[in-house]
Every structure is written in C-alpha cells, then in structure tokens.
Amino acid sequence: MALTESYRKNSLIPSYLYSSQTSFPSTAAFNGAAAAATSPATPSTARRNFVVAAPSEPGKIEMYSPAFYAACTVGGILSCGLTHTAVTPLDLVKCNMQIDPVKYKSISSGFGVLLKEQGIRGFFRGWVPTLLGYSAQGACKFGFYEFFKKYYSDIAGPEYAAKYKTLIYLAGSASAEFIADVALCPFEAVKVRVQTQPGFARGLGDGLPKFVKSEGALGLYKGIVPLWGRQIPYTMMKFASFETIVEMIYKHAVPTPKDQCSKPLQLGISFAGGYVAGVFCAIVSHPADNLVSFLNNAKGATVGDAVKKLGLWGLFTRGLPLRIVMIGTLTGAQWGIYDAFKVFVGL
C-alpha cells in the first residue's frame, strides 16, 4: 500500500468518506431524522439521532495493528521459507561453482557431477537449514519492514513521507534485514558447509553440533558481516525496486486502475515486478554472496583469502548467471506468495 494511502486512511477524516464499502444513510433514515426534529424528543433520543455509525468491513485486518504485523510475519515465513527450499538444487550447484569452479565448470556440468556422485537425493542436501533459516529470516524481514516503514514515515510526517517514499522503503528494508540476518546466519553457515563438503554432515541435526565443536558457537556468526553485505543491499533493492516497478506497471502498462483489476491480475503483476526486482538484487549482492560461500566453506578463511583466490572479476561474476535465474525466480515467487497470503487473510 502506498504511504499516501495509509496516511489518508489513518487521518481524522471519517472512514466512510473513503471506504470501498460505503453505506450511506437511506432515504427512510433521513425522513426519520426530519420527523424526529419536528417532534418533541427526550434527551437520549436526541443524542441518538446525532450518532453516525462507522462502517465496518468484515474480514479486514486493521492496518498496523498487532494482527497486521502477525499476518505480515506469517506471510514472510511462507514466502521465504518455501521458495528458498524449492530452489535448493540451484543453490547447491551455485555454491559449489563458487567454491570449486574447476570441478563445477557450468550449470549443466554441475548438475551432472552432483547426480553422478550423490544421486537425486543429493540435490536437496541442506534443505532443513535452508527451510528453517530462511523462514526465520522471512519472518523478520517482512514483519520488521512493515514496522520500520511506518516508524520512519511517522518520524518524517505525511508530507515528507510521501515525497521521499523511496528513502523510507530503503531505510525500512535495511533496518529489517539487519535483524533478519542475525536469525539467518547460523543456519546459513551450517547449510553452506553441508552443501560444499560431502561427508561433513547429512543435515542440520548432525551438522550443527559438528560445526560448533569445530569452530565454537561464535563461528556460526563468522560470516555475519559478509551476510549483511549480501542481504542488506539485496533487500533494499528488493523492496524499493519492487514498489517502484509495480507502480510503473500500473501507471504505464495496465489501463485499468489497480483497485479495479482482478486478484489474479494483481498477483501476476506482483510476480512480474518481483522477478525484475530479483535480477537487480542478484547483481548488487553477488560479490558478498561469493564471500559468504567462501568463508563458511573453509575453516579460518578470511575476506583477504577470498579476494586473493577468486580475484575481483571472479568475485563479481562467478556463478552470477545461475544466481540471476535463481534470485529472479525466488523474488518473483516470494512477492506472489506474500501478496496472495495478504489477500487470503484480508489485508
């Protein structure tokens, strides 16, 4: 929802002036009021005649209420957890291409190597930490984004919030992702180690204790700074570009106003806008993604080691085509699922 719309709905203007389900008083009600005005009335009757009932919208969740934030949190869990788990095979090949480009030379050969060495089951190695980690991240990302977006808008005031809405989106998404990555980081560390070191562990259950025994509990957060470097630009681009792209689609490509479009069309536009936003996300966050994979794969590795081994060009390009496909699909699907869930719960 646009900020200007949310401010309009939270203003002092009576809600029946803008509600989509407006119920104006009937003719009989006006006649009754006129009759009451010409006849004696008790004080209580007079008071009742001046009471205007606010319209209600059954099934709708009030904006910025606890139920609203809870719905956004659940939507984030579904949109991020399910989509990242679904593309585990792509993520697995991408991580191995980043770590061992000699063995995993391309997307097709990468899938071939995995199939030959580990079979079909190998394509979903590390799916449990992926599901749990990105579910936790999605809950924080979407829930806190809505919170910080309103928080910063309230600080700016209605006029500046509308004027600088893109900056509000950027600040809100960066703040939310900072928190979300703290929840994601331990799961990401175990996931990368499980996926890139065959024989290290079968999954989260045995991989987490082994990782902690090897590098200590703080080792789970060894990659937090590169993770912030990857995820914060990614999320800022994800939210700000999505909001802008969708706004442009409705303005220039769809002749019908948004509130008159069918729900399937609106969800289709959300997916299209999300996919385009995902391409930009993949490009701006890819160098840090290479760093995260490198640091979590090797014990005691540093950023300097990564730059020395990968080189600047490799840091920006290694595994990028596959990641563009993966992140574009992910981001489009996430926005589609998130908006579908919001429609389902009455937002």
mmCIF file of all heavy atoms in Angstrom, residues 186-237:
data_model
loop_
_atom_site.group_PDB
_atom_site.id
_atom_site.type_symbol
_atom_site.label_atom_id
_atom_site.label_comp_id
_atom_site.label_asym_id
_atom_site.label_seq_id
_atom_site.Cartn_x
_atom_site.Cartn_y
_atom_site.Cartn_z
ATOM 1 N N PRO A 186 23.367 -18.451 11.559
ATOM 2 C CA PRO A 186 23.797 -19.794 11.985
ATOM 3 C C PRO A 186 23.341 -20.891 11.021
ATOM 4 O O PRO A 186 24.099 -21.824 10.736
ATOM 5 C CB PRO A 186 23.131 -19.952 13.363
ATOM 6 C CG PRO A 186 22.840 -18.560 13.815
ATOM 7 C CD PRO A 186 22.533 -17.793 12.579
ATOM 8 N N PHE A 187 22.121 -20.774 10.527
ATOM 9 C CA PHE A 187 21.605 -21.773 9.587
ATOM 10 C C PHE A 187 22.355 -21.714 8.257
ATOM 11 O O PHE A 187 22.629 -22.749 7.647
ATOM 12 C CB PHE A 187 20.112 -21.539 9.347
ATOM 13 C CG PHE A 187 19.261 -21.697 10.565
ATOM 14 C CD1 PHE A 187 18.855 -20.595 11.304
ATOM 15 C CD2 PHE A 187 18.864 -22.959 10.996
ATOM 16 C CE1 PHE A 187 18.069 -20.736 12.433
ATOM 17 C CE2 PHE A 187 18.076 -23.110 12.129
ATOM 18 C CZ PHE A 187 17.686 -22.001 12.852
ATOM 19 N N GLU A 188 22.694 -20.505 7.809
ATOM 20 C CA GLU A 188 23.426 -20.343 6.556
ATOM 21 C C GLU A 188 24.827 -20.950 6.658
ATOM 22 O O GLU A 188 25.315 -21.574 5.705
ATOM 23 C CB GLU A 188 23.519 -18.855 6.208
ATOM 24 C CG GLU A 188 24.206 -18.545 4.883
ATOM 25 C CD GLU A 188 23.340 -18.823 3.680
ATOM 26 O OE1 GLU A 188 22.190 -19.286 3.854
ATOM 27 O OE2 GLU A 188 23.819 -18.591 2.556
ATOM 28 N N ALA A 189 25.461 -20.779 7.809
ATOM 29 C CA ALA A 189 26.805 -21.334 7.997
ATOM 30 C C ALA A 189 26.786 -22.857 7.880
ATOM 31 O O ALA A 189 27.628 -23.458 7.200
ATOM 32 C CB ALA A 189 27.351 -20.906 9.356
ATOM 33 N N VAL A 190 25.823 -23.488 8.548
ATOM 34 C CA VAL A 190 25.726 -24.955 8.501
ATOM 35 C C VAL A 190 25.323 -25.412 7.099
ATOM 36 O O VAL A 190 25.854 -26.402 6.580
ATOM 37 C CB VAL A 190 24.717 -25.459 9.558
ATOM 38 C CG1 VAL A 190 24.535 -26.974 9.434
ATOM 39 C CG2 VAL A 190 25.190 -25.094 10.960
ATOM 40 N N LYS A 191 24.408 -24.704 6.471
ATOM 41 C CA LYS A 191 23.934 -25.068 5.133
ATOM 42 C C LYS A 191 25.076 -25.102 4.127
ATOM 43 O O LYS A 191 25.240 -26.076 3.376
ATOM 44 C CB LYS A 191 22.868 -24.075 4.661
ATOM 45 C CG LYS A 191 22.388 -24.302 3.229
ATOM 46 C CD LYS A 191 21.496 -23.176 2.753
ATOM 47 C CE LYS A 191 22.285 -21.965 2.310
ATOM 48 N NZ LYS A 191 22.969 -22.162 1.011
ATOM 49 N N VAL A 192 25.887 -24.042 4.107
ATOM 50 C CA VAL A 192 26.992 -23.979 3.148
ATOM 51 C C VAL A 192 27.987 -25.106 3.408
ATOM 52 O O VAL A 192 28.475 -25.758 2.477
ATOM 53 C CB VAL A 192 27.690 -22.603 3.218
ATOM 54 C CG1 VAL A 192 28.969 -22.612 2.381
ATOM 55 C CG2 VAL A 192 26.751 -21.514 2.721
ATOM 56 N N ARG A 193 28.299 -25.374 4.675
ATOM 57 C CA ARG A 193 29.271 -26.438 4.998
ATOM 58 C C ARG A 193 28.724 -27.810 4.563
ATOM 59 O O ARG A 193 29.464 -28.631 4.017
ATOM 60 C CB ARG A 193 29.561 -26.416 6.498
ATOM 61 C CG ARG A 193 30.686 -27.322 6.951
ATOM 62 C CD ARG A 193 32.047 -26.858 6.417
ATOM 63 N NE ARG A 193 32.417 -25.528 6.884
ATOM 64 C CZ ARG A 193 33.092 -25.280 8.005
ATOM 65 N NH1 ARG A 193 33.442 -26.292 8.805
ATOM 66 N NH2 ARG A 193 33.423 -24.037 8.328
ATOM 67 N N VAL A 194 27.453 -28.055 4.810
ATOM 68 C CA VAL A 194 26.842 -29.338 4.426
ATOM 69 C C VAL A 194 26.822 -29.492 2.910
ATOM 70 O O VAL A 194 27.087 -30.580 2.376
ATOM 71 C CB VAL A 194 25.415 -29.440 5.000
ATOM 72 C CG1 VAL A 194 24.655 -30.612 4.374
ATOM 73 C CG2 VAL A 194 25.454 -29.602 6.519
ATOM 74 N N GLN A 195 26.530 -28.400 2.200
ATOM 75 C CA GLN A 195 26.375 -28.483 0.753
ATOM 76 C C GLN A 195 27.701 -28.551 0.002
ATOM 77 O O GLN A 195 27.759 -29.110 -1.093
ATOM 78 C CB GLN A 195 25.567 -27.280 0.246
ATOM 79 C CG GLN A 195 24.106 -27.313 0.650
ATOM 80 C CD GLN A 195 23.331 -26.107 0.144
ATOM 81 O OE1 GLN A 195 23.891 -25.051 -0.102
ATOM 82 N NE2 GLN A 195 22.028 -26.269 -0.013
ATOM 83 N N THR A 196 28.752 -27.982 0.555
ATOM 84 C CA THR A 196 30.015 -27.889 -0.194
ATOM 85 C C THR A 196 31.095 -28.840 0.303
ATOM 86 O O THR A 196 32.154 -28.924 -0.317
ATOM 87 C CB THR A 196 30.564 -26.446 -0.137
ATOM 88 O OG1 THR A 196 30.762 -26.060 1.230
ATOM 89 C CG2 THR A 196 29.596 -25.480 -0.805
ATOM 90 N N GLN A 197 30.840 -29.563 1.393
ATOM 91 C CA GLN A 197 31.806 -30.536 1.901
ATOM 92 C C GLN A 197 31.122 -31.887 2.072
ATOM 93 O O GLN A 197 30.600 -32.193 3.154
ATOM 94 C CB GLN A 197 32.422 -30.077 3.218
ATOM 95 C CG GLN A 197 33.347 -28.885 3.104
ATOM 96 C CD GLN A 197 34.082 -28.579 4.409
ATOM 97 O OE1 GLN A 197 34.075 -29.372 5.344
ATOM 98 N NE2 GLN A 197 34.722 -27.424 4.465
ATOM 99 N N PRO A 198 31.084 -32.689 1.019
ATOM 100 C CA PRO A 198 30.461 -34.020 1.118
ATOM 101 C C PRO A 198 31.088 -34.831 2.247
ATOM 102 O O PRO A 198 32.313 -34.871 2.394
ATOM 103 C CB PRO A 198 30.763 -34.643 -0.253
ATOM 104 C CG PRO A 198 30.960 -33.482 -1.172
ATOM 105 C CD PRO A 198 31.605 -32.412 -0.335
ATOM 106 N N GLY A 199 30.250 -35.446 3.044
ATOM 107 C CA GLY A 199 30.742 -36.233 4.164
ATOM 108 C C GLY A 199 30.826 -35.459 5.465
ATOM 109 O O GLY A 199 31.002 -36.058 6.521
ATOM 110 N N PHE A 200 30.703 -34.122 5.407
ATOM 111 C CA PHE A 200 30.766 -33.342 6.643
ATOM 112 C C PHE A 200 29.583 -33.680 7.549
ATOM 113 O O PHE A 200 29.755 -33.941 8.742
ATOM 114 C CB PHE A 200 30.768 -31.846 6.325
ATOM 115 C CG PHE A 200 30.621 -30.960 7.535
ATOM 116 C CD1 PHE A 200 31.672 -30.781 8.421
ATOM 117 C CD2 PHE A 200 29.408 -30.321 7.808
ATOM 118 C CE1 PHE A 200 31.528 -29.988 9.549
ATOM 119 C CE2 PHE A 200 29.259 -29.521 8.924
ATOM 120 C CZ PHE A 200 30.325 -29.357 9.799
ATOM 121 N N ALA A 201 28.400 -33.677 6.993
ATOM 122 C CA ALA A 201 27.196 -33.999 7.763
ATOM 123 C C ALA A 201 26.046 -34.245 6.792
ATOM 124 O O ALA A 201 26.099 -33.848 5.625
ATOM 125 C CB ALA A 201 26.843 -32.864 8.723
ATOM 126 N N ARG A 202 25.007 -34.894 7.285
ATOM 127 C CA ARG A 202 23.842 -35.163 6.442
ATOM 128 C C ARG A 202 22.871 -33.978 6.416
ATOM 129 O O ARG A 202 22.120 -33.808 5.459
ATOM 130 C CB ARG A 202 23.101 -36.405 6.952
ATOM 131 C CG ARG A 202 23.870 -37.700 6.751
ATOM 132 C CD ARG A 202 23.196 -38.851 7.452
ATOM 133 N NE ARG A 202 23.049 -38.582 8.894
ATOM 134 C CZ ARG A 202 22.568 -39.447 9.769
ATOM 135 N NH1 ARG A 202 22.180 -40.645 9.367
ATOM 136 N NH2 ARG A 202 22.471 -39.134 11.047
ATOM 137 N N GLY A 203 22.881 -33.191 7.482
ATOM 138 C CA GLY A 203 21.952 -32.068 7.553
ATOM 139 C C GLY A 203 22.178 -31.249 8.802
ATOM 140 O O GLY A 203 23.285 -31.235 9.368
ATOM 141 N N LEU A 204 21.127 -30.580 9.255
ATOM 142 C CA LEU A 204 21.244 -29.676 10.393
ATOM 143 C C LEU A 204 21.466 -30.428 11.700
ATOM 144 O O LEU A 204 22.242 -29.989 12.558
ATOM 145 C CB LEU A 204 19.978 -28.808 10.495
ATOM 146 C CG LEU A 204 19.955 -27.779 11.620
ATOM 147 C CD1 LEU A 204 21.011 -26.709 11.384
ATOM 148 C CD2 LEU A 204 18.559 -27.134 11.726
ATOM 149 N N GLY A 205 20.779 -31.568 11.864
ATOM 150 C CA GLY A 205 20.824 -32.295 13.133
ATOM 151 C C GLY A 205 22.227 -32.684 13.548
ATOM 152 O O GLY A 205 22.613 -32.498 14.708
ATOM 153 N N ASP A 206 23.005 -33.235 12.620
ATOM 154 C CA ASP A 206 24.374 -33.613 12.961
ATOM 155 C C ASP A 206 25.380 -32.551 12.534
ATOM 156 O O ASP A 206 26.500 -32.494 13.062
ATOM 157 C CB ASP A 206 24.730 -34.957 12.321
ATOM 158 C CG ASP A 206 24.575 -34.945 10.804
ATOM 159 O OD1 ASP A 206 23.822 -34.098 10.294
ATOM 160 O OD2 ASP A 206 25.183 -35.796 10.135
ATOM 161 N N GLY A 207 24.985 -31.671 11.600
ATOM 162 C CA GLY A 207 25.906 -30.651 11.124
ATOM 163 C C GLY A 207 26.147 -29.526 12.117
ATOM 164 O O GLY A 207 27.274 -29.038 12.259
ATOM 165 N N LEU A 208 25.090 -29.106 12.834
ATOM 166 C CA LEU A 208 25.223 -28.004 13.787
ATOM 167 C C LEU A 208 26.163 -28.357 14.939
ATOM 168 O O LEU A 208 27.092 -27.581 15.239
ATOM 169 C CB LEU A 208 23.842 -27.597 14.308
ATOM 170 C CG LEU A 208 23.807 -26.458 15.334
ATOM 171 C CD1 LEU A 208 24.412 -25.190 14.749
ATOM 172 C CD2 LEU A 208 22.371 -26.190 15.804
ATOM 173 N N PRO A 209 25.994 -29.506 15.615
ATOM 174 C CA PRO A 209 26.939 -29.849 16.701
ATOM 175 C C PRO A 209 28.378 -29.987 16.192
ATOM 176 O O PRO A 209 29.328 -29.582 16.872
ATOM 177 C CB PRO A 209 26.413 -31.187 17.226
ATOM 178 C CG PRO A 209 24.984 -31.235 16.814
ATOM 179 C CD PRO A 209 24.921 -30.503 15.513
ATOM 180 N N LYS A 210 28.544 -30.558 15.001
ATOM 181 C CA LYS A 210 29.885 -30.734 14.449
ATOM 182 C C LYS A 210 30.530 -29.384 14.131
ATOM 183 O O LYS A 210 31.728 -29.184 14.363
ATOM 184 C CB LYS A 210 29.804 -31.613 13.198
ATOM 185 C CG LYS A 210 31.146 -32.097 12.700
ATOM 186 C CD LYS A 210 30.993 -33.061 11.526
ATOM 187 C CE LYS A 210 30.404 -34.379 11.956
ATOM 188 N NZ LYS A 210 30.417 -35.368 10.843
ATOM 189 N N PHE A 211 29.739 -28.472 13.609
ATOM 190 C CA PHE A 211 30.249 -27.134 13.299
ATOM 191 C C PHE A 211 30.676 -26.414 14.576
ATOM 192 O O PHE A 211 31.746 -25.809 14.635
ATOM 193 C CB PHE A 211 29.169 -26.324 12.575
ATOM 194 C CG PHE A 211 29.658 -25.065 11.929
ATOM 195 C CD1 PHE A 211 29.846 -24.977 10.560
ATOM 196 C CD2 PHE A 211 29.932 -23.928 12.685
ATOM 197 C CE1 PHE A 211 30.298 -23.809 9.958
ATOM 198 C CE2 PHE A 211 30.392 -22.753 12.109
ATOM 199 C CZ PHE A 211 30.576 -22.697 10.730
ATOM 200 N N VAL A 212 29.819 -26.452 15.595
ATOM 201 C CA VAL A 212 30.123 -25.777 16.863
ATOM 202 C C VAL A 212 31.356 -26.395 17.517
ATOM 203 O O VAL A 212 32.205 -25.688 18.086
ATOM 204 C CB VAL A 212 28.902 -25.837 17.809
ATOM 205 C CG1 VAL A 212 29.265 -25.325 19.190
ATOM 206 C CG2 VAL A 212 27.739 -25.040 17.243
ATOM 207 N N LYS A 213 31.479 -27.720 17.457
ATOM 208 C CA LYS A 213 32.647 -28.384 18.037
ATOM 209 C C LYS A 213 33.920 -27.969 17.324
ATOM 210 O O LYS A 213 34.984 -27.821 17.938
ATOM 211 C CB LYS A 213 32.461 -29.902 17.950
ATOM 212 C CG LYS A 213 33.577 -30.686 18.611
ATOM 213 C CD LYS A 213 33.306 -32.185 18.537
ATOM 214 C CE LYS A 213 34.430 -32.977 19.198
ATOM 215 N NZ LYS A 213 34.168 -34.446 19.120
ATOM 216 N N SER A 214 33.816 -27.743 16.022
ATOM 217 C CA SER A 214 34.996 -27.401 15.226
ATOM 218 C C SER A 214 35.398 -25.937 15.377
ATOM 219 O O SER A 214 36.589 -25.632 15.508
ATOM 220 C CB SER A 214 34.726 -27.706 13.755
ATOM 221 O OG SER A 214 35.749 -27.228 12.921
ATOM 222 N N GLU A 215 34.413 -25.029 15.383
ATOM 223 C CA GLU A 215 34.733 -23.601 15.342
ATOM 224 C C GLU A 215 34.145 -22.789 16.485
ATOM 225 O O GLU A 215 34.315 -21.569 16.528
ATOM 226 C CB GLU A 215 34.275 -23.010 14.001
ATOM 227 C CG GLU A 215 34.896 -23.710 12.801
ATOM 228 C CD GLU A 215 34.794 -22.886 11.537
ATOM 229 O OE1 GLU A 215 34.727 -21.652 11.650
ATOM 230 O OE2 GLU A 215 34.784 -23.474 10.448
ATOM 231 N N GLY A 216 33.438 -23.458 17.408
ATOM 232 C CA GLY A 216 32.832 -22.742 18.523
ATOM 233 C C GLY A 216 31.517 -22.099 18.118
ATOM 234 O O GLY A 216 31.213 -21.955 16.927
ATOM 235 N N ALA A 217 30.745 -21.705 19.124
ATOM 236 C CA ALA A 217 29.439 -21.107 18.849
ATOM 237 C C ALA A 217 29.567 -19.806 18.067
ATOM 238 O O ALA A 217 28.746 -19.508 17.189
ATOM 239 C CB ALA A 217 28.691 -20.865 20.163
ATOM 240 N N LEU A 218 30.599 -19.033 18.367
ATOM 241 C CA LEU A 218 30.785 -17.767 17.649
ATOM 242 C C LEU A 218 31.153 -17.995 16.184
ATOM 243 O O LEU A 218 30.974 -17.099 15.352
ATOM 244 C CB LEU A 218 31.868 -16.926 18.331
ATOM 245 C CG LEU A 218 31.516 -16.355 19.705
ATOM 246 C CD1 LEU A 218 32.694 -15.565 20.281
ATOM 247 C CD2 LEU A 218 30.277 -15.463 19.615
ATOM 248 N N GLY A 219 31.638 -19.180 15.868
ATOM 249 C CA GLY A 219 31.955 -19.489 14.478
ATOM 250 C C GLY A 219 30.736 -19.483 13.580
ATOM 251 O O GLY A 219 30.851 -19.291 12.364
ATOM 252 N N LEU A 220 29.568 -19.697 14.189
ATOM 253 C CA LEU A 220 28.325 -19.651 13.418
ATOM 254 C C LEU A 220 28.056 -18.258 12.863
ATOM 255 O O LEU A 220 27.309 -18.098 11.891
ATOM 256 C CB LEU A 220 27.145 -20.091 14.294
ATOM 257 C CG LEU A 220 27.128 -21.557 14.725
ATOM 258 C CD1 LEU A 220 26.076 -21.774 15.808
ATOM 259 C CD2 LEU A 220 26.858 -22.461 13.527
ATOM 260 N N TYR A 221 28.672 -17.246 13.494
ATOM 261 C CA TYR A 221 28.470 -15.857 13.052
ATOM 262 C C TYR A 221 29.723 -15.287 12.376
ATOM 263 O O TYR A 221 29.838 -14.085 12.217
ATOM 264 C CB TYR A 221 28.066 -14.985 14.246
ATOM 265 C CG TYR A 221 26.623 -15.186 14.647
ATOM 266 C CD1 TYR A 221 26.279 -16.113 15.624
ATOM 267 C CD2 TYR A 221 25.602 -14.480 14.014
ATOM 268 C CE1 TYR A 221 24.952 -16.320 15.977
ATOM 269 C CE2 TYR A 221 24.273 -14.675 14.355
ATOM 270 C CZ TYR A 221 23.951 -15.600 15.335
ATOM 271 O OH TYR A 221 22.631 -15.816 15.671
ATOM 272 N N LYS A 222 30.604 -16.183 11.953
ATOM 273 C CA LYS A 222 31.813 -15.729 11.267
ATOM 274 C C LYS A 222 31.470 -14.980 9.974
ATOM 275 O O LYS A 222 32.152 -14.036 9.583
ATOM 276 C CB LYS A 222 32.706 -16.937 10.956
ATOM 277 C CG LYS A 222 33.993 -16.590 10.238
ATOM 278 C CD LYS A 222 34.866 -17.823 10.052
ATOM 279 C CE LYS A 222 34.223 -18.837 9.137
ATOM 280 N NZ LYS A 222 35.115 -19.985 8.865
ATOM 281 N N GLY A 223 30.403 -15.397 9.343
ATOM 282 C CA GLY A 223 30.026 -14.782 8.071
ATOM 283 C C GLY A 223 28.971 -13.707 8.186
ATOM 284 O O GLY A 223 28.369 -13.328 7.172
ATOM 285 N N ILE A 224 28.735 -13.162 9.393
ATOM 286 C CA ILE A 224 27.637 -12.207 9.559
ATOM 287 C C ILE A 224 27.887 -10.906 8.793
ATOM 288 O O ILE A 224 26.963 -10.361 8.184
ATOM 289 C CB ILE A 224 27.377 -11.909 11.061
ATOM 290 C CG1 ILE A 224 26.141 -11.017 11.250
ATOM 291 C CG2 ILE A 224 28.590 -11.273 11.718
ATOM 292 C CD1 ILE A 224 24.850 -11.652 10.829
ATOM 293 N N VAL A 225 29.122 -10.401 8.789
ATOM 294 C CA VAL A 225 29.389 -9.139 8.084
ATOM 295 C C VAL A 225 29.230 -9.305 6.577
ATOM 296 O O VAL A 225 28.532 -8.499 5.935
ATOM 297 C CB VAL A 225 30.783 -8.598 8.454
ATOM 298 C CG1 VAL A 225 31.103 -7.365 7.606
ATOM 299 C CG2 VAL A 225 30.838 -8.235 9.944
ATOM 300 N N PRO A 226 29.833 -10.347 5.952
ATOM 301 C CA PRO A 226 29.543 -10.557 4.534
ATOM 302 C C PRO A 226 28.062 -10.836 4.260
ATOM 303 O O PRO A 226 27.550 -10.467 3.200
ATOM 304 C CB PRO A 226 30.403 -11.769 4.159
ATOM 305 C CG PRO A 226 31.495 -11.793 5.164
ATOM 306 C CD PRO A 226 30.883 -11.267 6.427
ATOM 307 N N LEU A 227 27.395 -11.493 5.215
ATOM 308 C CA LEU A 227 25.966 -11.756 5.033
ATOM 309 C C LEU A 227 25.184 -10.449 5.017
ATOM 310 O O LEU A 227 24.284 -10.260 4.187
ATOM 311 C CB LEU A 227 25.454 -12.671 6.149
ATOM 312 C CG LEU A 227 24.025 -13.202 5.976
ATOM 313 C CD1 LEU A 227 23.927 -14.075 4.731
ATOM 314 C CD2 LEU A 227 23.599 -14.008 7.205
ATOM 315 N N TRP A 228 25.514 -9.541 5.927
ATOM 316 C CA TRP A 228 24.898 -8.210 5.878
ATOM 317 C C TRP A 228 25.221 -7.527 4.553
ATOM 318 O O TRP A 228 24.363 -6.873 3.955
ATOM 319 C CB TRP A 228 25.411 -7.352 7.034
ATOM 320 C CG TRP A 228 24.743 -7.608 8.345
ATOM 321 C CD1 TRP A 228 23.448 -7.992 8.546
ATOM 322 C CD2 TRP A 228 25.323 -7.482 9.649
ATOM 323 N NE1 TRP A 228 23.186 -8.126 9.890
ATOM 324 C CE2 TRP A 228 24.326 -7.817 10.597
ATOM 325 C CE3 TRP A 228 26.586 -7.124 10.107
ATOM 326 C CZ2 TRP A 228 24.543 -7.796 11.967
ATOM 327 C CZ3 TRP A 228 26.822 -7.101 11.486
ATOM 328 C CH2 TRP A 228 25.807 -7.435 12.398
ATOM 329 N N GLY A 229 26.491 -7.687 4.108
ATOM 330 C CA GLY A 229 26.893 -7.083 2.846
ATOM 331 C C GLY A 229 26.146 -7.639 1.657
ATOM 332 O O GLY A 229 25.954 -6.956 0.648
ATOM 333 N N ARG A 230 25.720 -8.895 1.763
ATOM 334 C CA ARG A 230 24.930 -9.503 0.690
ATOM 335 C C ARG A 230 23.451 -9.178 0.821
ATOM 336 O O ARG A 230 22.798 -8.767 -0.146
ATOM 337 C CB ARG A 230 25.115 -11.031 0.714
ATOM 338 C CG ARG A 230 24.338 -11.764 -0.374
ATOM 339 C CD ARG A 230 24.416 -13.277 -0.193
ATOM 340 N NE ARG A 230 23.472 -13.775 0.788
ATOM 341 C CZ ARG A 230 23.387 -15.055 1.159
ATOM 342 N NH1 ARG A 230 24.237 -15.947 0.637
ATOM 343 N NH2 ARG A 230 22.504 -15.443 2.052
ATOM 344 N N GLN A 231 22.913 -9.374 2.015
ATOM 345 C CA GLN A 231 21.461 -9.326 2.194
ATOM 346 C C GLN A 231 20.885 -7.912 2.309
ATOM 347 O O GLN A 231 19.760 -7.670 1.875
ATOM 348 C CB GLN A 231 21.068 -10.136 3.432
ATOM 349 C CG GLN A 231 21.231 -11.638 3.265
ATOM 350 C CD GLN A 231 20.372 -12.209 2.169
ATOM 351 O OE1 GLN A 231 20.861 -12.945 1.316
ATOM 352 N NE2 GLN A 231 19.102 -11.878 2.158
ATOM 353 N N ILE A 232 21.617 -6.990 2.935
ATOM 354 C CA ILE A 232 21.053 -5.641 3.098
ATOM 355 C C ILE A 232 20.909 -4.938 1.750
ATOM 356 O O ILE A 232 19.816 -4.418 1.444
ATOM 357 C CB ILE A 232 21.876 -4.823 4.109
ATOM 358 C CG1 ILE A 232 21.671 -5.390 5.523
ATOM 359 C CG2 ILE A 232 21.477 -3.345 4.072
ATOM 360 C CD1 ILE A 232 22.476 -4.692 6.604
ATOM 361 N N PRO A 233 21.943 -4.906 0.882
ATOM 362 C CA PRO A 233 21.719 -4.327 -0.457
ATOM 363 C C PRO A 233 20.648 -5.087 -1.236
ATOM 364 O O PRO A 233 19.846 -4.481 -1.962
ATOM 365 C CB PRO A 233 23.084 -4.451 -1.135
ATOM 366 C CG PRO A 233 24.060 -4.532 -0.025
ATOM 367 C CD PRO A 233 23.363 -5.273 1.064
ATOM 368 N N TYR A 234 20.656 -6.411 -1.092
ATOM 369 C CA TYR A 234 19.651 -7.239 -1.763
ATOM 370 C C TYR A 234 18.237 -6.832 -1.347
ATOM 371 O O TYR A 234 17.351 -6.622 -2.175
ATOM 372 C CB TYR A 234 19.909 -8.713 -1.436
ATOM 373 C CG TYR A 234 18.759 -9.642 -1.760
ATOM 374 C CD1 TYR A 234 18.638 -10.209 -3.030
ATOM 375 C CD2 TYR A 234 17.799 -9.952 -0.810
ATOM 376 C CE1 TYR A 234 17.587 -11.051 -3.328
ATOM 377 C CE2 TYR A 234 16.738 -10.799 -1.097
ATOM 378 C CZ TYR A 234 16.636 -11.353 -2.366
ATOM 379 O OH TYR A 234 15.585 -12.177 -2.651
ATOM 380 N N THR A 235 18.023 -6.722 -0.045
ATOM 381 C CA THR A 235 16.685 -6.419 0.455
ATOM 382 C C THR A 235 16.281 -4.978 0.148
ATOM 383 O O THR A 235 15.106 -4.706 -0.157
ATOM 384 C CB THR A 235 16.616 -6.684 1.973
ATOM 385 O OG1 THR A 235 16.955 -8.055 2.212
ATOM 386 C CG2 THR A 235 15.229 -6.415 2.520
ATOM 387 N N MET A 236 17.218 -4.058 0.241
ATOM 388 C CA MET A 236 16.905 -2.674 -0.126
ATOM 389 C C MET A 236 16.460 -2.601 -1.586
ATOM 390 O O MET A 236 15.477 -1.933 -1.918
ATOM 391 C CB MET A 236 18.130 -1.784 0.108
ATOM 392 C CG MET A 236 18.504 -1.609 1.570
ATOM 393 S SD MET A 236 20.095 -0.766 1.811
ATOM 394 C CE MET A 236 19.665 0.900 1.327
ATOM 395 N N MET A 237 17.182 -3.302 -2.449
ATOM 396 C CA MET A 237 16.801 -3.339 -3.862
ATOM 397 C C MET A 237 15.480 -4.077 -4.043
ATOM 398 O O MET A 237 14.630 -3.680 -4.850
ATOM 399 C CB MET A 237 17.908 -4.019 -4.671
ATOM 400 C CG MET A 237 17.661 -4.076 -6.171
ATOM 401 S SD MET A 237 17.640 -2.432 -6.929
ATOM 402 C CE MET A 237 19.397 -2.039 -6.896
#
